[in-house]
mmCIF file of all heavy atoms in Angstrom:
data_model
loop_
_atom_site.group_PDB
_atom_site.id
_atom_site.type_symbol
_atom_site.label_atom_id
_atom_site.label_comp_id
_atom_site.label_asym_id
_atom_site.label_seq_id
_atom_site.Cartn_x
_atom_site.Cartn_y
_atom_site.Cartn_z
ATOM 1 N N PHE A 190 97.267 15.729 102.243
ATOM 2 C CA PHE A 190 98.618 15.251 101.958
ATOM 3 C C PHE A 190 99.399 15.031 103.237
ATOM 4 O O PHE A 190 100.150 14.080 103.365
ATOM 5 C CB PHE A 190 99.319 16.218 101.010
ATOM 6 C CG PHE A 190 98.639 16.284 99.679
ATOM 7 C CD1 PHE A 190 97.891 17.386 99.321
ATOM 8 C CD2 PHE A 190 98.699 15.202 98.815
ATOM 9 C CE1 PHE A 190 97.228 17.427 98.100
ATOM 10 C CE2 PHE A 190 98.049 15.225 97.590
ATOM 11 C CZ PHE A 190 97.309 16.344 97.239
ATOM 12 N N LYS A 191 99.207 15.932 104.195
ATOM 13 C CA LYS A 191 99.892 15.766 105.483
ATOM 14 C C LYS A 191 99.442 14.474 106.144
ATOM 15 O O LYS A 191 100.237 13.706 106.668
ATOM 16 C CB LYS A 191 99.587 16.958 106.400
ATOM 17 C CG LYS A 191 100.415 18.174 106.063
ATOM 18 C CD LYS A 191 100.153 19.296 107.071
ATOM 19 C CE LYS A 191 100.366 20.647 106.406
ATOM 20 N NZ LYS A 191 99.401 21.655 106.825
ATOM 21 N N LEU A 192 98.139 14.247 106.117
ATOM 22 C CA LEU A 192 97.594 13.111 106.859
ATOM 23 C C LEU A 192 97.846 11.760 106.191
ATOM 24 O O LEU A 192 97.943 10.753 106.872
ATOM 25 C CB LEU A 192 96.099 13.317 107.105
ATOM 26 C CG LEU A 192 95.805 14.393 108.157
ATOM 27 C CD1 LEU A 192 94.344 14.805 108.109
ATOM 28 C CD2 LEU A 192 96.142 13.911 109.564
ATOM 29 N N VAL A 193 97.931 11.746 104.867
ATOM 30 C CA VAL A 193 98.129 10.438 104.239
ATOM 31 C C VAL A 193 99.595 10.004 104.246
ATOM 32 O O VAL A 193 99.908 8.878 103.902
ATOM 33 C CB VAL A 193 97.582 10.348 102.788
ATOM 34 C CG1 VAL A 193 96.099 10.592 102.764
ATOM 35 C CG2 VAL A 193 98.308 11.278 101.851
ATOM 36 N N LYS A 194 100.499 10.909 104.651
ATOM 37 C CA LYS A 194 101.908 10.515 104.803
ATOM 38 C C LYS A 194 101.977 9.335 105.761
ATOM 39 O O LYS A 194 101.289 9.292 106.767
ATOM 40 C CB LYS A 194 102.716 11.674 105.390
ATOM 41 C CG LYS A 194 103.259 12.606 104.336
ATOM 42 C CD LYS A 194 104.140 13.650 104.985
ATOM 43 C CE LYS A 194 104.409 14.778 104.019
ATOM 44 N NZ LYS A 194 104.886 15.968 104.743
ATOM 45 N N GLY A 195 102.809 8.403 105.465
ATOM 46 C CA GLY A 195 102.876 7.229 106.327
ATOM 47 C C GLY A 195 101.957 6.133 105.847
ATOM 48 O O GLY A 195 101.890 5.061 106.428
ATOM 49 N N PHE A 196 101.224 6.415 104.767
ATOM 50 C CA PHE A 196 100.334 5.392 104.219
ATOM 51 C C PHE A 196 100.759 4.991 102.807
ATOM 52 O O PHE A 196 99.966 4.529 102.018
ATOM 53 C CB PHE A 196 98.886 5.897 104.196
ATOM 54 C CG PHE A 196 98.279 5.980 105.559
ATOM 55 C CD1 PHE A 196 98.200 7.183 106.229
ATOM 56 C CD2 PHE A 196 97.794 4.829 106.177
ATOM 57 C CE1 PHE A 196 97.641 7.258 107.489
ATOM 58 C CE2 PHE A 196 97.232 4.903 107.439
ATOM 59 C CZ PHE A 196 97.161 6.116 108.100
ATOM 60 N N TRP A 197 102.041 5.226 102.488
ATOM 61 C CA TRP A 197 102.468 4.995 101.107
ATOM 62 C C TRP A 197 102.424 3.524 100.719
ATOM 63 O O TRP A 197 102.447 3.193 99.547
ATOM 64 C CB TRP A 197 103.856 5.585 100.857
ATOM 65 C CG TRP A 197 103.848 7.056 101.065
ATOM 66 C CD1 TRP A 197 104.572 7.754 101.977
ATOM 67 C CD2 TRP A 197 103.042 8.031 100.380
ATOM 68 N NE1 TRP A 197 104.272 9.097 101.910
ATOM 69 C CE2 TRP A 197 103.339 9.298 100.944
ATOM 70 C CE3 TRP A 197 102.092 7.973 99.364
ATOM 71 C CZ2 TRP A 197 102.718 10.483 100.512
ATOM 72 C CZ3 TRP A 197 101.484 9.144 98.929
ATOM 73 C CH2 TRP A 197 101.798 10.377 99.509
ATOM 74 N N ARG A 198 102.292 2.635 101.716
ATOM 75 C CA ARG A 198 102.124 1.210 101.382
ATOM 76 C C ARG A 198 100.810 0.994 100.637
ATOM 77 O O ARG A 198 100.600 -0.007 99.999
ATOM 78 C CB ARG A 198 102.119 0.365 102.664
ATOM 79 C CG ARG A 198 103.518 0.066 103.152
ATOM 80 C CD ARG A 198 103.619 -1.338 103.716
ATOM 81 N NE ARG A 198 102.615 -1.629 104.720
ATOM 82 C CZ ARG A 198 102.254 -2.862 105.042
ATOM 83 N NH1 ARG A 198 102.804 -3.889 104.431
ATOM 84 N NH2 ARG A 198 101.339 -3.077 105.963
ATOM 85 N N ASN A 199 99.920 1.969 100.760
ATOM 86 C CA ASN A 199 98.642 1.898 100.067
ATOM 87 C C ASN A 199 98.685 2.645 98.739
ATOM 88 O O ASN A 199 97.684 3.171 98.288
ATOM 89 C CB ASN A 199 97.541 2.511 100.933
ATOM 90 C CG ASN A 199 97.233 1.658 102.131
ATOM 91 O OD1 ASN A 199 96.697 0.573 101.998
ATOM 92 N ND2 ASN A 199 97.613 2.141 103.296
ATOM 93 N N TRP A 200 99.869 2.734 98.146
ATOM 94 C CA TRP A 200 100.024 3.558 96.955
ATOM 95 C C TRP A 200 98.998 3.217 95.866
ATOM 96 O O TRP A 200 98.440 4.096 95.227
ATOM 97 C CB TRP A 200 101.450 3.456 96.411
ATOM 98 C CG TRP A 200 101.596 4.219 95.130
ATOM 99 C CD1 TRP A 200 101.945 3.747 93.926
ATOM 100 C CD2 TRP A 200 101.364 5.635 94.934
ATOM 101 N NE1 TRP A 200 101.938 4.747 92.984
ATOM 102 C CE2 TRP A 200 101.588 5.922 93.577
ATOM 103 C CE3 TRP A 200 100.961 6.686 95.778
ATOM 104 C CZ2 TRP A 200 101.436 7.203 93.031
ATOM 105 C CZ3 TRP A 200 100.806 7.960 95.231
ATOM 106 C CH2 TRP A 200 101.048 8.203 93.889
ATOM 107 N N ASP A 201 98.740 1.913 95.684
ATOM 108 C CA ASP A 201 97.740 1.493 94.699
ATOM 109 C C ASP A 201 96.440 2.254 94.894
ATOM 110 O O ASP A 201 95.764 2.631 93.960
ATOM 111 C CB ASP A 201 97.399 0.000 94.897
ATOM 112 C CG ASP A 201 98.391 -0.858 94.166
ATOM 113 O OD1 ASP A 201 99.269 -0.282 93.495
ATOM 114 O OD2 ASP A 201 98.289 -2.091 94.279
ATOM 115 N N TYR A 202 96.136 2.383 96.158
ATOM 116 C CA TYR A 202 94.866 2.964 96.557
ATOM 117 C C TYR A 202 94.889 4.486 96.409
ATOM 118 O O TYR A 202 93.909 5.093 96.005
ATOM 119 C CB TYR A 202 94.622 2.562 98.010
ATOM 120 C CG TYR A 202 93.261 2.868 98.538
ATOM 121 C CD1 TYR A 202 92.183 2.068 98.189
ATOM 122 C CD2 TYR A 202 93.060 3.940 99.384
ATOM 123 C CE1 TYR A 202 90.934 2.338 98.677
ATOM 124 C CE2 TYR A 202 91.820 4.218 99.879
ATOM 125 C CZ TYR A 202 90.751 3.419 99.534
ATOM 126 O OH TYR A 202 89.508 3.691 100.020
ATOM 127 N N LEU A 203 96.033 5.071 96.729
ATOM 128 C CA LEU A 203 96.147 6.533 96.695
ATOM 129 C C LEU A 203 96.366 7.067 95.287
ATOM 130 O O LEU A 203 96.072 8.219 95.001
ATOM 131 C CB LEU A 203 97.315 6.989 97.588
ATOM 132 C CG LEU A 203 97.115 6.842 99.085
ATOM 133 C CD1 LEU A 203 98.436 7.103 99.815
ATOM 134 C CD2 LEU A 203 96.058 7.826 99.590
ATOM 135 N N LYS A 204 96.898 6.190 94.432
ATOM 136 C CA LYS A 204 97.309 6.614 93.089
ATOM 137 C C LYS A 204 96.151 7.252 92.305
ATOM 138 O O LYS A 204 96.332 8.278 91.662
ATOM 139 C CB LYS A 204 97.848 5.390 92.331
ATOM 140 C CG LYS A 204 98.598 5.726 91.065
ATOM 141 C CD LYS A 204 99.240 4.478 90.476
ATOM 142 C CE LYS A 204 98.168 3.484 90.070
ATOM 143 N NZ LYS A 204 98.699 2.202 89.607
ATOM 144 N N ASP A 205 94.966 6.621 92.389
ATOM 145 C CA ASP A 205 93.808 7.151 91.669
ATOM 146 C C ASP A 205 93.528 8.587 92.083
ATOM 147 O O ASP A 205 93.356 9.469 91.246
ATOM 148 C CB ASP A 205 92.557 6.312 91.952
ATOM 149 C CG ASP A 205 92.543 5.014 91.154
ATOM 150 O OD1 ASP A 205 93.484 4.803 90.365
ATOM 151 O OD2 ASP A 205 91.593 4.229 91.326
ATOM 152 N N GLY A 206 93.505 8.807 93.390
ATOM 153 C CA GLY A 206 93.194 10.135 93.921
ATOM 154 C C GLY A 206 94.203 11.159 93.428
ATOM 155 O O GLY A 206 93.845 12.269 93.004
ATOM 156 N N TRP A 207 95.470 10.750 93.480
ATOM 157 C CA TRP A 207 96.545 11.628 93.010
ATOM 158 C C TRP A 207 96.340 11.971 91.539
ATOM 159 O O TRP A 207 96.449 13.119 91.125
ATOM 160 C CB TRP A 207 97.890 10.922 93.237
ATOM 161 C CG TRP A 207 99.050 11.693 92.730
ATOM 162 C CD1 TRP A 207 99.751 11.480 91.581
ATOM 163 C CD2 TRP A 207 99.642 12.844 93.356
ATOM 164 N NE1 TRP A 207 100.740 12.414 91.444
ATOM 165 C CE2 TRP A 207 100.699 13.262 92.514
ATOM 166 C CE3 TRP A 207 99.361 13.554 94.533
ATOM 167 C CZ2 TRP A 207 101.496 14.364 92.830
ATOM 168 C CZ3 TRP A 207 100.156 14.649 94.839
ATOM 169 C CH2 TRP A 207 101.202 15.039 93.991
ATOM 170 N N ASN A 208 96.012 10.969 90.723
ATOM 171 C CA ASN A 208 95.798 11.192 89.289
ATOM 172 C C ASN A 208 94.603 12.102 89.024
ATOM 173 O O ASN A 208 94.609 12.887 88.088
ATOM 174 C CB ASN A 208 95.614 9.857 88.557
ATOM 175 C CG ASN A 208 96.954 9.153 88.356
ATOM 176 O OD1 ASN A 208 98.001 9.803 88.338
ATOM 177 N ND2 ASN A 208 96.917 7.845 88.247
ATOM 178 N N TYR A 209 93.565 11.973 89.865
ATOM 179 C CA TYR A 209 92.398 12.823 89.666
ATOM 180 C C TYR A 209 92.751 14.291 89.940
ATOM 181 O O TYR A 209 92.344 15.186 89.205
ATOM 182 C CB TYR A 209 91.238 12.370 90.563
ATOM 183 C CG TYR A 209 90.668 11.027 90.153
ATOM 184 C CD1 TYR A 209 90.479 10.005 91.071
ATOM 185 C CD2 TYR A 209 90.332 10.777 88.822
ATOM 186 C CE1 TYR A 209 89.975 8.776 90.691
ATOM 187 C CE2 TYR A 209 89.832 9.550 88.430
ATOM 188 C CZ TYR A 209 89.654 8.553 89.364
ATOM 189 O OH TYR A 209 89.159 7.337 88.983
ATOM 190 N N LEU A 210 93.528 14.526 90.984
ATOM 191 C CA LEU A 210 93.953 15.896 91.272
ATOM 192 C C LEU A 210 94.795 16.441 90.127
ATOM 193 O O LEU A 210 94.652 17.587 89.719
ATOM 194 C CB LEU A 210 94.769 15.926 92.581
ATOM 195 C CG LEU A 210 93.968 15.794 93.873
ATOM 196 C CD1 LEU A 210 94.912 15.640 95.053
ATOM 197 C CD2 LEU A 210 93.059 17.003 94.076
ATOM 198 N N LYS A 211 95.666 15.575 89.616
ATOM 199 C CA LYS A 211 96.547 15.967 88.522
ATOM 200 C C LYS A 211 95.727 16.315 87.277
ATOM 201 O O LYS A 211 96.005 17.301 86.596
ATOM 202 C CB LYS A 211 97.510 14.811 88.204
ATOM 203 C CG LYS A 211 98.916 15.274 87.876
ATOM 204 C CD LYS A 211 99.907 14.113 87.832
ATOM 205 C CE LYS A 211 99.624 13.171 86.671
ATOM 206 N NZ LYS A 211 100.547 12.016 86.634
ATOM 207 N N GLY A 212 94.693 15.514 87.017
ATOM 208 C CA GLY A 212 93.843 15.733 85.838
ATOM 209 C C GLY A 212 93.162 17.087 85.894
ATOM 210 O O GLY A 212 93.055 17.784 84.876
ATOM 211 N N ILE A 213 92.719 17.461 87.076
ATOM 212 C CA ILE A 213 92.030 18.736 87.246
ATOM 213 C C ILE A 213 93.001 19.897 87.025
ATOM 214 O O ILE A 213 92.711 20.850 86.319
ATOM 215 C CB ILE A 213 91.367 18.784 88.644
ATOM 216 C CG1 ILE A 213 90.134 17.874 88.638
ATOM 217 C CG2 ILE A 213 90.987 20.206 89.038
ATOM 218 C CD1 ILE A 213 89.585 17.554 90.000
ATOM 219 N N ARG A 214 94.186 19.735 87.602
ATOM 220 C CA ARG A 214 95.192 20.793 87.465
ATOM 221 C C ARG A 214 95.631 20.927 86.000
ATOM 222 O O ARG A 214 95.755 22.025 85.484
ATOM 223 C CB ARG A 214 96.400 20.464 88.364
ATOM 224 C CG ARG A 214 97.292 21.658 88.626
ATOM 225 C CD ARG A 214 98.150 21.427 89.856
ATOM 226 N NE ARG A 214 97.349 21.210 91.058
ATOM 227 C CZ ARG A 214 97.748 20.446 92.074
ATOM 228 N NH1 ARG A 214 98.902 19.813 92.038
ATOM 229 N NH2 ARG A 214 96.976 20.312 93.136
ATOM 230 N N LYS A 215 95.853 19.775 85.350
ATOM 231 C CA LYS A 215 96.327 19.779 83.969
ATOM 232 C C LYS A 215 95.324 20.454 83.034
ATOM 233 O O LYS A 215 95.699 21.105 82.067
ATOM 234 C CB LYS A 215 96.567 18.329 83.502
ATOM 235 C CG LYS A 215 97.790 18.171 82.614
ATOM 236 C CD LYS A 215 98.040 16.710 82.279
ATOM 237 C CE LYS A 215 97.766 16.449 80.796
ATOM 238 N NZ LYS A 215 97.704 15.006 80.499
ATOM 239 N N ALA A 216 94.039 20.313 83.346
ATOM 240 C CA ALA A 216 93.008 20.917 82.499
ATOM 241 C C ALA A 216 92.873 22.414 82.774
ATOM 242 O O ALA A 216 92.088 23.104 82.134
ATOM 243 C CB ALA A 216 91.676 20.218 82.725
ATOM 244 N N GLY A 217 93.650 22.908 83.732
ATOM 245 C CA GLY A 217 93.576 24.322 84.070
ATOM 246 C C GLY A 217 92.330 24.684 84.850
ATOM 247 O O GLY A 217 91.931 25.844 84.907
ATOM 248 N N VAL A 218 91.699 23.672 85.458
ATOM 249 C CA VAL A 218 90.492 23.935 86.244
ATOM 250 C C VAL A 218 90.902 24.302 87.668
ATOM 251 O O VAL A 218 91.762 23.647 88.261
ATOM 252 C CB VAL A 218 89.580 22.692 86.269
ATOM 253 C CG1 VAL A 218 88.399 22.902 87.205
ATOM 254 C CG2 VAL A 218 89.090 22.376 84.862
ATOM 255 N N GLU A 219 90.292 25.359 88.189
ATOM 256 C CA GLU A 219 90.669 25.800 89.524
ATOM 257 C C GLU A 219 90.054 24.890 90.592
ATOM 258 O O GLU A 219 88.845 24.649 90.593
ATOM 259 C CB GLU A 219 90.210 27.244 89.753
ATOM 260 C CG GLU A 219 90.896 27.867 90.946
ATOM 261 C CD GLU A 219 90.448 29.303 91.213
ATOM 262 O OE1 GLU A 219 89.725 29.881 90.381
ATOM 263 O OE2 GLU A 219 90.827 29.825 92.269
ATOM 264 N N LEU A 220 90.903 24.378 91.461
ATOM 265 C CA LEU A 220 90.424 23.604 92.605
ATOM 266 C C LEU A 220 90.446 24.558 93.794
ATOM 267 O O LEU A 220 91.501 24.944 94.271
ATOM 268 C CB LEU A 220 91.339 22.403 92.845
ATOM 269 C CG LEU A 220 91.000 21.524 94.036
ATOM 270 C CD1 LEU A 220 89.670 20.820 93.840
ATOM 271 C CD2 LEU A 220 92.088 20.475 94.253
ATOM 272 N N MET A 221 89.254 24.976 94.220
ATOM 273 C CA MET A 221 89.185 25.980 95.286
ATOM 274 C C MET A 221 88.932 25.295 96.611
ATOM 275 O O MET A 221 87.830 24.807 96.865
ATOM 276 C CB MET A 221 88.062 26.985 94.985
ATOM 277 C CG MET A 221 88.242 27.660 93.624
ATOM 278 S SD MET A 221 86.825 28.666 93.155
ATOM 279 C CE MET A 221 87.045 30.058 94.270
ATOM 280 N N ARG A 222 89.974 25.247 97.447
ATOM 281 C CA ARG A 222 89.793 24.568 98.713
ATOM 282 C C ARG A 222 89.075 25.500 99.697
ATOM 283 O O ARG A 222 89.148 26.715 99.583
ATOM 284 C CB ARG A 222 91.122 24.074 99.268
ATOM 285 C CG ARG A 222 92.055 25.153 99.648
ATOM 286 C CD ARG A 222 93.394 24.618 100.080
ATOM 287 N NE ARG A 222 94.230 25.734 100.472
ATOM 288 C CZ ARG A 222 94.304 26.191 101.710
ATOM 289 N NH1 ARG A 222 93.640 25.598 102.667
ATOM 290 N NH2 ARG A 222 95.055 27.226 101.985
ATOM 291 N N LYS A 223 88.380 24.898 100.649
ATOM 292 C CA LYS A 223 87.607 25.618 101.661
ATOM 293 C C LYS A 223 86.585 26.588 101.041
ATOM 294 O O LYS A 223 86.475 27.743 101.422
ATOM 295 C CB LYS A 223 88.530 26.340 102.638
ATOM 296 C CG LYS A 223 89.466 25.370 103.362
ATOM 297 C CD LYS A 223 90.292 26.021 104.418
ATOM 298 C CE LYS A 223 89.545 26.062 105.734
ATOM 299 N NZ LYS A 223 90.384 26.480 106.867
ATOM 300 N N HIS A 224 85.866 26.080 100.029
ATOM 301 C CA HIS A 224 84.782 26.856 99.418
ATOM 302 C C HIS A 224 83.535 25.991 99.318
ATOM 303 O O HIS A 224 83.635 24.780 99.151
ATOM 304 C CB HIS A 224 85.162 27.311 98.007
ATOM 305 C CG HIS A 224 85.930 28.588 97.995
ATOM 306 N ND1 HIS A 224 87.270 28.632 98.346
ATOM 307 C CD2 HIS A 224 85.561 29.859 97.678
ATOM 308 C CE1 HIS A 224 87.687 29.898 98.241
ATOM 309 N NE2 HIS A 224 86.669 30.661 97.838
ATOM 310 N N LEU A 225 82.382 26.615 99.397
ATOM 311 C CA LEU A 225 81.141 25.905 99.119
ATOM 312 C C LEU A 225 80.174 26.736 98.292
ATOM 313 O O LEU A 225 80.295 27.942 98.215
ATOM 314 C CB LEU A 225 80.386 25.431 100.337
ATOM 315 C CG LEU A 225 80.459 25.383 101.767
ATOM 316 C CD1 LEU A 225 79.216 26.033 102.311
ATOM 317 C CD2 LEU A 225 80.373 23.918 102.086
ATOM 318 N N ILE A 226 79.181 26.035 97.720
ATOM 319 C CA ILE A 226 78.063 26.721 97.082
ATOM 320 C C ILE A 226 77.085 27.081 98.190
ATOM 321 O O ILE A 226 76.722 26.224 98.996
ATOM 322 C CB ILE A 226 77.344 25.798 96.077
ATOM 323 C CG1 ILE A 226 78.187 25.612 94.822
ATOM 324 C CG2 ILE A 226 75.969 26.360 95.712
ATOM 325 C CD1 ILE A 226 77.492 24.827 93.727
ATOM 326 N N VAL A 227 76.684 28.349 98.267
ATOM 327 C CA VAL A 227 75.706 28.707 99.293
ATOM 328 C C VAL A 227 74.309 28.893 98.697
ATOM 329 O O VAL A 227 73.318 28.804 99.405
ATOM 330 C CB VAL A 227 76.116 29.967 100.096
ATOM 331 C CG1 VAL A 227 77.414 29.721 100.823
ATOM 332 C CG2 VAL A 227 76.228 31.191 99.209
ATOM 333 N N GLU A 228 74.239 29.157 97.406
ATOM 334 C CA GLU A 228 72.933 29.356 96.778
ATOM 335 C C GLU A 228 73.057 29.179 95.272
ATOM 336 O O GLU A 228 74.108 29.441 94.696
ATOM 337 C CB GLU A 228 72.409 30.772 97.089
ATOM 338 C CG GLU A 228 71.015 31.026 96.584
ATOM 339 C CD GLU A 228 70.466 32.400 96.999
ATOM 340 O OE1 GLU A 228 71.026 33.035 97.901
ATOM 341 O OE2 GLU A 228 69.465 32.814 96.385
#
Side-chain angles (χ1 to χ4, degrees):
Chain A
F190 296 107
K191 281 184 209 141
L192 287 166
V193 299
K194 272 185 194 162
F196 288 100
W197 299 119
R198 278 218 308 159
N199 290 291
W200 176 240
D201 275 357
Y202 190 77
L203 289 170
K204 193 173 63 185
D205 282 358
W207 177 258
N208 283 336
Y209 292 130
L210 285 172
K211 219 169 67 182
I213 286 166
R214 197 160 300 149
K215 218 175 111 193
V218 174
E219 196 181 351
L220 178 66
M221 303 172 73
R222 66 185 182 91
K223 301 185 87 170
H224 274 76
L225 357 124
I226 287 186
V227 298
E228 185 175 345

